[in-house]
Amino acid sequence: MFANWPLLSLLIWLPILGAIPVLLAGDKRPDTARLLALIVAVLTFAVSLCMLPGFDSSSAAMQLQENHSWIETLNVRYHLGVDGISVALVLLTTFTSVLVIILGWGSIDERVSQYMAAMLVLEGLMVGVFCAMDALLFYVFFEGMLIPMFILIGIWGGARRVYATLKFFIYTFFGSIFMLIGLIYLYFKTGSFELATLAQVGLSGKEQAWLFFAFLIAFAVKVPMWPVHTWLPDAHVEAPTGGSVVLAAIMLKIGGYGFIRFSLPIVPDASMEYAWVVIAMSLVAVVYVGYVALVQEDMKKLIAYSSIAHMGFVTLGIFVSLSLARGGNATGAAIGIQGAMVQMISHGFISGAMFSCVGVLYDRLHTRMIRDYGGVVNTMPRFATLFVLFAMANCGLPGTSGFVGEFWVILAAFQSNPLVGALAAFTLIIGAAYTLWLVKRVIFGEVANDKVAGLSDMNARETFVLVTFAIAVLLFGLWPQPLGNLMDAPIAELVKHIVISKGA
Amino acid sequence: MITPKLILLVTALLPLFGAIVAGLFGKRVGRAGAHTVTIAGVLGSFLLSCYALYQLATGGWGVFNENLYTWFEVGNLSAHVGFLVDRLTAVMMVVVTSVSLLVHVYTIGYMRDDPGYQRFFSYISLFTFSMLMLVMSNNFMQLFFGWEAVGLVSYLLIGFWFKRPSAIFANMKAFLVNRVGDFGFLLGIAAVLFWFGSLDYATVFRSADATLAGKTLEIFAGHPWQAATVIGVLLFIGAMGKSAQVPLHVWLPDSMEGPTPISALIHAATMVTAGIFMVARMSPLYELSETALSFVMIIGATTALFTGLIGIVQNDIKRVVAYSTLSQLGYMTVALGVSAYSAAIFHLMTHAFFKALLFLGAGSVIIAMHHEQDMRHMGGLKKYMPITFITGWIGTLALTGFPGFSGFFSKDAIIEAVHESHRFGSGYAYFCVLTGVFVTALYSFRLIYLTYHGKERFVVEHAPQAHAAHHDAHADKHGHDDHAYAGHGKNEHAHDDHGHHAPGHLEHAPHESPWVVTLPLILLAIPSVIIGWLTIGPMLFGDFFAGAIVVKEGGPLAELAHHWHGPWAMLLHGLMAPPFWLALAGFAVATYVYMFNQSIADRAAKMFAPLYRLLQNKYGIDDLYFAVFARGGLKLGRGLWRGGDVAVIDDGLVNGSAALVGRIAASVRRVQSGFLYHYAFAMILGLIVLLGGLWMAAR
């Protein structure tokens, strides 16, 4: 019944235009702004669910397409469409956005309407990124996203917010410039920004290499991969809770998505040739960043580093698939990419939940330092239960969604090279070490001080958010098949595509 | 329609249901509600497990192997959740649920006053579910799920008293050490997928021989490894973590920080035997690699002897039993290493009963002693608590292998099997397991004498109201005691609960524990005596495990079966074999020293001071790990962070290039000085250059 609706446009523009009345509600009426924002977010989520009934998950084709001319002279098109991969990420976006709005309900007191409006605009732009089938349209959304996030950190952030927000902005902007140059080159070559066209165009080895590194810089910053990751801990530390959640849960995924949509299909040979670079960077992320996470004293920084380590599995899974696919092991390659995708979705839930947990604590004691806590379980038992659950998911415990992606990626990596698999599997130890040590110091033990003694357990709003995350984490841990099913066809198609060389 | 599938599903889910009710609705159902629903669940699970075993043993059911649901499908690989239940699984199910049931009942008494009562029941039921999922799995993915799930519950239960620093240190240590094992285990699973393209047991085992033949893996160039060896060793590393084999054994003694019922259930009878079960389950793979089996045997033998030695110098009653558990797990592992898988499972079963009995008995003593665990403050308890005393003797006789008791059959079978083996390292293994028998008897009877016999080494304070004053008065007098405590390191004393008293001081005289505690002791004592006698025929010498456990032609057990046929022959042979005499020697030494002449022990400790210290320090392994991995890891992390992230990347590259841009901008800015004549000069200069250039070009 929804097949003929412009669902994707609705998903993009509903939150962006919905931000206007929220803004109009003004700072004098914060409750109106909150309520309006929630209504918009829930509506958007409802619309995103409408994608599912008519969606053919057995097909790798782009569905729900909308194709209009946009900038006639440059042949830029407003072309939207989704396959299983996009649907999964769009749902993650709309789902998380609802929770973020609820989360900001109580913890944001200043300029509420502007905060809520920025969040909604951000949501629309992120959906746009996952739906764009035109490279320039993608680029516009990709860059546009920076603005609301820049504002979110810059206004509602912590003490060093100016440094953090500038670092964040310049880092990512620096990265994406290279992608823009690459896209312009491709435009001159093909006369089009259509992703489907770009995926088919023949490119020489040299051209592919240049383009590969242009894309790599853009997406590596976004993921972020070592060594261009240092903006993330700063951004997280200064961002308000909601900003951190969006950043970790959704925005980082755009980097991984970019590799899947741009690098692999457009420059498969260079991806294959330089896969080792990305694999090496990913392994550094898992091992090196794991050790760095271990010694962090700020909870948010610790979780930020943990995010980098977990996103290492995404890039690892994507790039081990190349040698597997070309070695004739299509299943192995599909395992790698599936693992990467599942890891992205799962990391969305887990990191979102972890940052929400820190937010819950921060709202009470206004400190993120681990040493200021201890024995929280004594005063907040319900919170502690959920925190331990998310910590276990962060360790990749089977039965939680955190396990699924890591499991597949490690299995795929082992097939490409047992040593790579072994280094990746090191996360079992180091990931557990930094997470459980955090739990030990914050949650367990005697009540550490008077402030902790005075903590009150979660209120209904916080409980709702964390329990919703918990359900998602457990559901996709115990039964990830629906997720796999959704993405299976496009991934199989992608594996077929990357096997074919684009010529010298 | 009651199908085997439904029965097995209910068997697994009943404890989960109990755990959810007690865990999420603990307040609403109350204490009685929590223990009723969990005990009912585990009882149901136990009865159904017995039924399944009966059906499988009598041929009523064939081997059950079905998938329940598809977990994940990708390409032509599909991972399922499903059950494989054959006789091996069924034996494990009965062992797990029976011990779990008794521990549930025991807990009513042991945790009576604990504020976390419902939570505790929820955890142990959740454990039972996880353990059932582990043993009932029909594929590697679910095996890993159960493997980690029992690890999680173990973590939660060791840290059950989360206010205690030692407990939350121990549970983290346990989890992390286990993760080191899991690291290998997961890679083992990855290797299985790599060569077989499947995670299903049936597919893998069916084609093991054909698939792995001639396959090698070159991890380092020039050193090809046999595929079967790679898989075998990697999977066994997982078992080394879970079953606490040297050098990953360090977490088990510390796990005694948890309440005693879980020490019995998880850290003696069931979870720690998961590794043993796993290797037995994988026998079709292990039989393909002599190297892997030798590795298993040598690790097991080392564990069996060297952890047993530490048991001799422990003073904490639970720690003695813990080291004994390590040692016995070593015996099981040795049996695996010589291809005597059935003997390992047989010992696993008998050990589950007598070790659970010993732990629960220790718990009963601890209740009586008001949570005093140091045996130096016990003695003479036999007259206060006869049931605990008698069952304690029964358990000890079973453990030390007194002829006719269950442990005799299972341990002797292992020793004889090692004797028959010609595998690389079997000489060393035989030495270890034989010496281990003497050691076992020594520490076991030492425990019995120090606890139940001899003089009372505790003071009963009859006037509790004068307690505070008393406390102060005695503080000086017992200064040396406190000193002795400090000497043993921080984690040495796993006091089961908040001890408010000076060591060795009791508010009132010890007395026998309530029936919910003693009944499980009695019920465990019965199988500790007879189960070996009853089941050795089919399990060891018969073909009870045919199909589940695969042994190549000429395994050592076939040889033994050839000699003995049944328990009688084995009993007669046992009386003449070295293990019996070694055990007797251990008994005699313990009796002489700890009953009649205790000064010998002190003198021996002085005479062999370096050895004594080595054992006290647990060979220094814990300290070494702490220094290298914990402190070293932190140091490395700090170095990478400050040196890599902050210094090089941020200060150097990121802020450095920002500063560079700033400097360039500053020097360029100087050009914009705002003085008109500067601009005019620049314009003229530019014009000259331009014109000059044009002129040059035109020429």
Side-chain angles (χ1 to χ4, degrees):
Chain A
M1 77 184 265
F2 304 109
N4 300 321
W5 291 28
L7 272 183
L8 302 181
S9 282
L10 207 57
L11 278 173
I12 296 170
W13 296 107
L14 183 64
I16 294 180
L17 298 178
I20 296 171
V22 173
L23 211 53
L24 289 178
D27 291 330
K28 298 269 163 54
R29 285 172 294 171
D31 279 330
T32 317
R34 286 176 180 130
L35 193 65
L36 274 172
L38 182 65
I39 290 170
V40 172
V42 169
L43 268 179
T44 314
F45 182 54
V47 172
S48 71
L49 287 178
C50 295
M51 290 191 297
L52 290 175
F55 192 80
D56 178 7
S57 63
S58 64
S59 155
M62 285 292 176
Q63 302 175 37
L64 298 166
Q65 287 200 30
E66 295 167 39
N67 195 348
H68 309 282
S69 182
W70 179 27
I71 308 173
E72 198 94 39
T73 47
L74 292 174
N75 193 19
V76 179
R77 305 193 64 82
Y78 178 80
H79 189 177
L80 305 175
V82 284
D83 59 5
I85 294 175
S86 299
V87 168
L89 288 164
V90 169
L91 287 174
L92 174 71
T93 308
T94 53
F95 169 81
T96 312
S97 295
V98 175
L99 295 184
V100 164
I101 297 286
I102 299 174
L103 206 60
W105 201 275
S107 57
I108 298 293
D109 300 322
E110 282 172 47
R111 307 178 192 225
V112 176
S113 63
Q114 295 173 36
Y115 175 87
M116 294 293 174
M119 275 294 177
L120 289 175
V121 171
L122 186 57
E123 178 187 2
L125 293 172
M126 290 187 299
V127 171
V129 167
F130 295 129
C131 296
M133 290 184 64
D134 182 288
L136 204 74
L137 186 64
F138 175 92
Y139 183 79
V140 169
F141 285 127
F142 188 84
E143 293 288 44
M145 237 164 38
L146 293 182
I147 300 165
M149 188 47 99
F150 180 83
I151 294 172
L152 280 172
I153 301 176
I155 295 180
W156 292 272
R160 293 179 72 218
R161 58 180 182 267
V162 176
Y163 171 75
T165 197
L166 271 175
K167 194 171 175 181
F168 157 75
F169 192 91
I170 292 173
Y171 238 122
T172 41
F173 195 71
F174 168 81
S176 44
I177 281 295
F178 290 91
M179 175 172 69
L180 183 62
I181 297 170
L183 292 181
I184 290 170
Y185 180 85
L186 284 168
Y187 173 74
F188 283 128
K189 182 121 183 159
T190 62
S192 165
F193 284 111
E194 276 293 322
L195 280 176
T197 313
L198 302 185
Q200 296 307 327
V201 65
L203 292 165
S204 74
K206 207 171 174 187
E207 286 174 309
Q208 287 198 36
W210 280 105
L211 287 167
F212 173 79
F213 282 104
F215 293 145
L216 176 64
I217 293 172
F219 300 131
V221 168
K222 206 82 182 178
V223 167
M225 298 180 75
W226 181 89
V228 286
H229 64 285
T230 56
W231 62 270
L232 188 73
D234 282 316
H236 269 307
V237 166
E238 299 307 326
T241 303
S244 281
V245 173
V246 170
L247 192 57
I250 313 166
M251 280 184 84
L252 304 189
K253 309 303 171 297
I254 288 164
Y257 180 79
F259 283 120
I260 289 178
R261 279 280 186 262
F262 285 77
S263 303
L264 258 48
I266 298 177
V267 290
D269 301 301
S271 297
M272 170 77 197
E273 196 178 344
Y274 297 106
W276 64 271
V277 177
V278 184
I279 290 171
M281 284 159 69
S282 310
L283 291 177
V284 171
V286 173
V287 179
Y288 169 111
V289 175
Y291 271 107
V292 173
L294 195 60
V295 296
Q296 297 306 312
E297 289 151 6
D298 181 317
M299 283 192 273
K300 265 191 158 181
K301 244 183 181 164
L302 195 155
I303 299 166
Y305 274 109
S306 149
S307 280
I308 300 166
H310 282 95
M311 290 303 289
F313 276 90
V314 174
T315 46
L316 183 65
I318 294 171
F319 281 86
V320 293
S321 71
L322 285 150
S323 65
L324 290 173
R326 296 208 165 176
N329 185 351
T331 298
I335 291 175
I337 299 178
Q338 274 283 11
M341 281 306 302
V342 175
Q343 174 79 349
M344 287 214 264
I345 304 293
S346 152
H347 179 259
F349 299 138
I350 297 168
S351 67
M354 294 285 276
F355 279 116
S356 306
C357 284
V358 176
V360 168
L361 289 178
Y362 185 81
D363 285 347
R364 285 166 175 68
L365 295 195
H366 298 284
T367 168
R368 294 179 312 262
M369 289 298 148
I370 294 170
R371 61 168 172 273
D372 293 331
Y373 292 89
V376 169
V377 65
N378 297 294
T379 42
M380 303 176 71
R382 281 185 294 132
F383 171 78
T385 307
L386 287 165
F387 192 92
V388 171
L389 170 70
F390 296 129
M392 284 298 162
N394 205 39
C395 299
L397 199 83
T400 66
S401 63
F403 168 68
V404 189
E406 285 183 18
F407 183 65
W408 287 136
V409 172
I410 291 170
L411 260 47
F414 188 93
Q415 302 201 10
S416 82
N417 181 343
L419 274 184
V420 172
L423 283 169
F426 187 67
T427 190
L428 281 177
I429 304 167
I430 192 76
Y434 60 69
T435 313
L436 292 189
W437 198 32
L438 172 74
V439 171
K440 175 177 181 281
R441 288 177 293 171
V442 173
I443 300 292
F444 293 141
E446 290 276 6
V447 171
N449 53 48
D450 295 349
K451 284 187 179 163
V452 172
L455 284 175
S456 56
D457 212 334
M458 299 180 296
N459 60 31
R461 187 174 47 78
E462 293 161 338
T463 310
F464 176 80
V465 171
L466 290 184
V467 166
T468 309
F469 272 129
I471 289 170
V473 164
L474 287 174
L475 180 67
F476 288 111
L478 293 171
W479 193 41
Q481 171 63 7
L483 197 55
N485 203 18
L486 185 64
M487 301 186 293
D488 200 38
I491 287 175
E493 190 64 33
L494 179 63
V495 170
K496 267 187 226 153
H497 179 88
I498 57 178
V499 174
I500 303 159
S501 171
K502 279 193 161 189
Chain B
M1 231 343 240
I2 297 176
T3 58
K5 183 174 179 176
L6 182 69
I7 290 173
L8 294 170
L9 195 61
V10 171
T11 310
L13 291 182
L14 275 177
L16 177 65
F17 173 76
I20 290 173
V21 171
L24 295 186
F25 310 102
K27 266 206 187 111
R28 214 164 306 161
V29 297
R31 294 183 155 230
H35 73 229
T36 309
V37 70
T38 51
I39 289 175
V42 176
L43 177 67
S45 193
F46 168 66
L47 293 175
L48 291 174
S49 298
C50 289
Y51 178 73
L53 179 64
Y54 170 77
Q55 288 292 347
L56 283 159
T58 57
W61 291 0
V63 171
F64 178 92
N65 185 5
E66 265 184 56
N67 293 324
L68 296 176
Y69 69 88
T70 304
W71 184 74
F72 206 113
E73 248 169 351
V74 43
N76 46 31
L77 171 72
S78 62
H80 302 277
V81 170
F83 292 153
L84 166 66
V85 180
D86 52 13
R87 288 172 173 179
L88 175 61
T89 307
V91 167
M92 290 299 292
M93 286 164 65
V94 171
V95 169
V96 169
T97 51
S98 60
V99 177
S100 173
L101 177 62
L102 294 176
V103 166
H104 271 75
V105 173
Y106 180 92
T107 299
I108 298 177
Y110 195 86
M111 301 297 282
R112 202 182 49 213
D113 305 322
D114 199 284
Y117 194 79
Q118 289 96 319
R119 185 163 57 98
F120 193 84
F121 275 100
S122 169
Y123 286 173
I124 51 178
S125 271
L126 182 64
F127 169 77
T128 311
F129 162 75
S130 310
M131 193 68 200
L132 286 174
M133 289 304 278
L134 191 163
V135 298
M136 293 168 80
S137 166
N138 72 348
N139 64 80
F140 286 89
M141 189 284 296
Q142 188 184 335
L143 172 70
F144 193 68
F145 166 80
W147 194 262
E148 294 272 278
V150 292
L152 166 71
V153 188
S154 165
Y155 169 81
L156 294 171
L157 281 167
I158 297 171
F160 184 78
W161 287 312
F162 49 70
K163 288 185 189 181
R164 246 192 253 170
S166 54
I168 58 177
F169 175 80
N171 75 344
M172 191 170 81
K173 180 171 170 182
F175 199 93
L176 292 183
V177 174
N178 265 294
R179 271 294 168 114
V180 176
D182 296 347
F183 166 79
F185 194 56
L186 186 57
L187 290 177
I189 294 175
V192 167
L193 181 71
F194 178 51
W195 277 300
F196 291 94
S198 169
L199 293 173
D200 283 322
Y201 288 167
T203 318
V204 170
F205 296 159
R206 202 183 310 122
S207 61
D209 238 330
T211 309
L212 295 182
K215 294 267 168 57
T216 56
L217 181 69
E218 243 177 80
I219 300 172
F220 300 103
H223 295 276
W225 288 69
Q226 261 197 318
T229 305
V230 172
I231 293 178
V233 170
L234 286 173
L235 289 177
F236 181 66
I237 290 174
M240 285 160 69
K242 196 106 301 181
S243 294
Q245 298 295 299
V246 170
L248 298 181
H249 65 286
V250 290
W251 65 271
L252 187 62
D254 286 3
S255 77
M256 297 300 126
E257 287 294 334
T260 305
I262 65 114
S263 305
L265 174 62
I266 301 184
H267 304 118
T270 55
M271 182 189 84
V272 288
T273 58
I276 311 297
F277 163 78
M278 187 272 291
V279 176
R281 172 58 83 206
M282 305 295 156
S283 56
L285 296 176
Y286 277 92
E287 280 300 295
L288 300 175
S289 170
E290 281 284 315
T291 317
L293 284 172
S294 270
F295 178 66
V296 171
M297 174 173 60
I298 290 168
I299 294 283
T302 309
T303 309
L305 176 59
F306 290 93
T307 56
L309 285 172
I310 303 178
I312 301 175
V313 302
Q314 297 296 316
N315 290 318
D316 183 309
I317 184 168
K318 274 181 80 180
R319 278 187 178 250
V320 177
V321 190
Y323 281 102
S324 153
T325 304
L326 281 173
S327 168
Q328 296 304 307
L329 288 167
Y331 276 92
M332 296 175 212
T333 308
V334 173
L336 298 170
V338 296
S339 298
Y341 306 101
S342 323
I345 295 296
F346 184 47
H347 193 50
L348 185 162
M349 179 182 75
T350 60
H351 175 262
F353 294 119
F354 66 69
K355 191 49 68 66
L357 170 61
L358 286 171
F359 259 121
L360 295 185
S364 177
V365 168
I366 292 168
I367 303 174
M369 296 299 295
H370 303 278
H371 297 283
E372 172 64 71
Q373 293 181 210
D374 193 326
M375 293 190 299
R376 286 169 300 183
H377 300 300
M378 297 178 186
L381 287 175
K382 66 178 172 186
K383 68 175 180 201
Y384 298 108
M385 33 197 336
I387 299 175
T388 308
F389 165 65
I390 292 168
T391 53
W393 261 93
I394 292 173
T396 304
L397 289 175
L399 167 65
T400 52
F402 186 80
F405 282 60
S406 62
F408 162 78
F409 292 108
S410 55
K411 195 189 280 183
D412 252 24
I414 292 174
I415 295 169
E416 289 297 331
V418 176
H419 195 44
E420 296 290 336
S421 173
H422 306 293
R423 197 157 274 151
F424 174 79
S426 57
Y428 166 73
Y430 188 59
F431 165 76
C432 287
V433 292
L434 265 190
T435 320
V437 171
F438 171 78
V439 174
T440 307
L442 185 58
Y443 65 66
S444 301
F445 287 107
R446 174 176 173 263
L447 183 147
I448 286 282
Y449 293 135
L450 287 179
T451 311
Y452 300 108
H453 296 268
K455 270 185 287 184
E456 295 172 12
R457 290 180 299 278
F458 49 85
V459 182
V460 178
E461 298 171 4
H462 286 284
Q465 64 273 24
H467 162 234
H470 232 89
H471 212 133
D472 291 339
H474 281 266
D476 258 7
K477 202 170 124 199
H478 287 269
H480 67 278
D481 268 348
D482 294 336
H483 192 70
Y485 270 74
H488 299 303
K490 272 168 277 172
N491 325 321
E492 194 73 6
H493 287 268
H495 287 283
D496 227 15
D497 207 342
H498 11 270
H500 298 301
H501 288 261
H505 286 243
L506 302 183
E507 228 165 86
H508 44 79
H511 54 80
E512 185 57 281
S513 302
W515 71 270
V516 284
V517 171
T518 51
L519 180 69
L521 296 180
I522 295 165
L523 291 179
L524 283 167
I526 295 166
S528 297
V529 178
I530 61 169
I531 193 102
W533 180 272
L534 286 182
T535 58
I536 187 168
M539 275 177 84
L540 222 52
F541 303 138
D543 56 357
F544 187 76
F545 290 130
I549 288 173
V550 177
V551 183
K552 270 193 191 156
E553 276 303 301
L557 284 182
E559 193 74 12
L560 294 189
H562 184 70
H563 284 318
W564 294 338
H565 310 289
W568 276 113
M570 190 165 173
L571 198 60
L572 289 174
H573 171 266
L575 290 174
M576 294 174 292
F580 174 69
W581 295 102
L582 281 165
L584 206 61
F587 169 72
V589 172
T591 309
Y592 179 67
V593 173
Y594 295 101
M595 281 297 277
F596 301 111
N597 197 349
Q598 230 184 322
S599 62
I600 292 185
D602 302 331
R603 256 184 294 152
K606 281 206 188 77
M607 208 154 33
F608 303 106
L611 183 66
Y612 182 72
R613 260 203 310 279
L614 188 69
L615 292 178
Q616 278 285 356
N617 294 334
K618 300 167 267 178
Y619 307 112
I621 296 175
D622 287 63
D623 299 336
L624 179 79
Y625 287 176
F626 192 74
V628 174
F629 298 116
R631 276 188 216 289
L634 285 182
K635 216 173 257 176
L636 179 62
R638 245 172 237 129
L640 290 175
W641 182 36
R642 302 244 180 254
D645 268 35
V646 177
V648 175
I649 297 175
D650 258 5
D651 290 349
L653 296 174
V654 178
N655 299 341
S657 42
L660 186 68
V661 170
R663 269 202 297 282
I664 294 172
S667 54
V668 172
R669 198 155 50 223
R670 228 170 284 143
V671 176
Q672 282 186 14
S673 57
F675 295 115
L676 199 59
Y677 61 89
H678 280 173
Y679 294 158
F681 181 70
M683 275 167 71
I684 291 166
L685 206 67
L687 202 62
I688 291 170
V689 170
L690 188 68
L691 287 174
L694 279 174
W695 179 69
M696 295 282 275
R699 256 187 12 145

